Amino acid sequence: MQSQYIFGTICSIDLFEDGTEELYAGLFERLNQIERKFSVNIADSELSFVNSNASEGPIVVSREFFDVLKFSVDFAEKSGGAFNPALGSIIGLWGIGTEHQRIPETQEIEEAKKHCDYRNIILNEADDICSVMLADEKLRLDLGAIVKGYAADELVKLLKENGVTKAIINLGGNIYAFGSKSNNPDDKWNIGIKNPLKDDAEPIVVLEVNSTSVVTSGNYERFFIENGVRYHHIIDSKTGFPAETGLASVTVINESSTLCDAMATACFVAGTDAEFIKNEAGPGKIQLIFITQDGKIVKK
């Protein structure tokens, strides 16, 4: 197993007997490529360039950037804005997980909320040329709620190309259990879901999975406490504040880690009874495990 600090977290890959130094190096280089393209914290990333320039007119972007942003905008529409790639202005105000985290002033939040409409992200594709325009000069993209899922899926592509038979990818809690644990396809990986209410407790649920992603979003991941109140990093665009739906964590299980990542955030913001969840979850679809703040487990 090897690890590197990427996406603001520890990213680990275990290739077991298929691991070579060359393959590990290629996988981590791919992760670093994705971070350099999509990070809001890297001044010369493609995302930062779009944020700085796309309000002046359409900006030609890479196919990769366009596809991830298009997925994000489409999922924002599907989830009624519970997942929102246009939250950069509000996320920047809170600064949760940085040295500048704070509770913004009410007027700051109200102003930023005016510039978080994902419908102002204008995408165009013609003759294999992809462009993005931001129809609001103060709108700022932030794809932090989806990029680790996308990165996990990209690593899985490389594993398949290189004939890897089994691997565990852990991108700061975004898990992809690739292949089966042994030559017996019924021998599944055991993936534990953290108890969000007790740091040192045993996993609250243990899943048995093969070739699938397990992504959890929770209020315990990045947060600060002020005057006894916990302020976590999952922002509700309707309020401009950390989402409060009675949930401590949401875990999503599906073969697409990109979908899992977006869905985990959307479900945490929308709560257990949102209409889009009824359409997406169920047998043969996405599996969901909600942990409420009073310790109840709800599966869908």
Side-chain angles (χ1 to χ4, degrees):
M1 183 175 74
Q2 293 192 14
S3 301
Q4 287 187 22
Y5 189 80
I6 310 172
F7 306 127
T9 190
I10 299 296
C11 295
S12 301
I13 304 171
D14 195 339
L15 302 177
F16 302 94
E17 61 267 21
D18 292 323
T20 65
E21 287 301 318
E22 183 180 9
L23 185 50
Y24 276 118
L27 293 169
F28 280 108
E29 174 55 26
R30 183 69 181 111
L31 291 182
N32 279 290
Q33 287 175 355
I34 293 170
E35 181 180 41
R36 290 194 296 268
K37 184 180 292 282
F38 290 100
S39 176
V40 72
N41 298 313
I42 296 176
D44 61 351
S45 71
E46 189 166 10
L47 184 143
S48 293
F49 184 80
V50 170
N51 275 342
S52 297
N53 296 282
S55 64
E56 298 173 8
I59 297 293
V60 175
V61 296
S62 65
R63 163 62 63 180
E64 179 177 37
F65 186 90
F66 183 88
D67 286 348
V68 173
L69 184 54
K70 185 176 189 306
F71 182 98
S72 299
V73 172
D74 289 347
F75 197 82
E77 184 67 30
K78 182 180 292 186
S79 66
F83 172 85
N84 189 347
L87 278 183
S89 296
I90 292 179
I91 291 171
L93 281 180
W94 285 90
I96 296 174
T98 73
E99 297 178 355
H100 313 292
Q101 58 191 19
R102 66 186 179 95
I103 304 172
E105 298 292 333
T106 300
Q107 59 267 32
E108 290 181 293
I109 292 176
E110 290 304 312
E111 176 61 24
K113 281 167 56 180
K114 299 175 184 177
H115 307 291
C116 294
D117 189 341
Y118 63 87
R119 291 168 294 188
N120 282 322
I121 303 170
I122 311 301
L123 302 173
N124 189 53
E125 180 182 3
D127 299 325
D128 290 329
I129 297 175
C130 303
S131 67
V132 178
M133 186 174 76
L134 304 179
D136 176 349
E137 64 178 8
K138 294 185 179 180
L139 184 150
R140 293 294 179 268
L141 301 175
D142 190 311
L143 298 175
I146 198 172
V147 72
K148 287 192 296 180
Y150 172 72
D153 286 336
E154 287 297 293
L155 292 191
V156 168
K157 290 180 184 178
L158 292 175
L159 296 181
K160 292 177 179 178
E161 290 172 5
N162 284 276
V164 174
T165 57
K166 63 179 180 180
I168 293 291
I169 299 166
N170 185 347
L171 308 183
N174 283 46
I175 309 294
Y176 207 110
F178 177 74
S180 56
K181 196 173 181 180
S182 71
N183 292 331
N184 180 357
D186 294 326
D187 189 10
K188 297 187 176 183
W189 302 101
N190 293 324
I191 306 296
I193 297 176
K194 176 182 173 63
N195 186 331
L197 306 175
K198 297 180 181 178
D199 285 339
D200 56 354
E202 293 292 314
I204 197 166
V205 175
V206 176
L207 302 171
E208 293 185 348
V209 299
N210 275 347
S211 290
T212 197
S213 186
V214 179
V215 175
T216 300
S217 287
N219 63 8
Y220 59 88
E221 295 172 303
R222 296 198 305 276
F223 65 91
F224 67 93
I225 296 176
E226 189 165 319
N227 297 325
V229 178
R230 179 194 296 253
Y231 297 95
H232 60 80
H233 74 292
I234 307 172
I235 303 296
D236 183 344
S237 59
K238 290 185 173 70
T239 65
F241 277 78
E244 292 295 337
T245 49
L247 295 172
S249 73
V250 178
T251 297
V252 186
I253 305 101
N254 189 263
E255 290 182 0
S256 168
S257 194
T258 307
L259 177 59
C260 286
D261 212 1
M263 191 73 175
T265 295
C267 289
F268 194 98
V269 169
T272 58
D273 297 322
E275 191 64 34
F276 75 91
I277 294 175
K278 299 174 185 177
N279 298 328
E280 298 293 322
K285 299 182 180 180
I286 299 170
Q287 299 177 60
L288 301 172
I289 300 174
F290 298 89
I291 312 297
T292 66
Q293 290 180 1
D294 55 4
K296 293 178 182 177
I297 300 173
V298 180
K299 297 183 179 181
K300 295 196 174 187

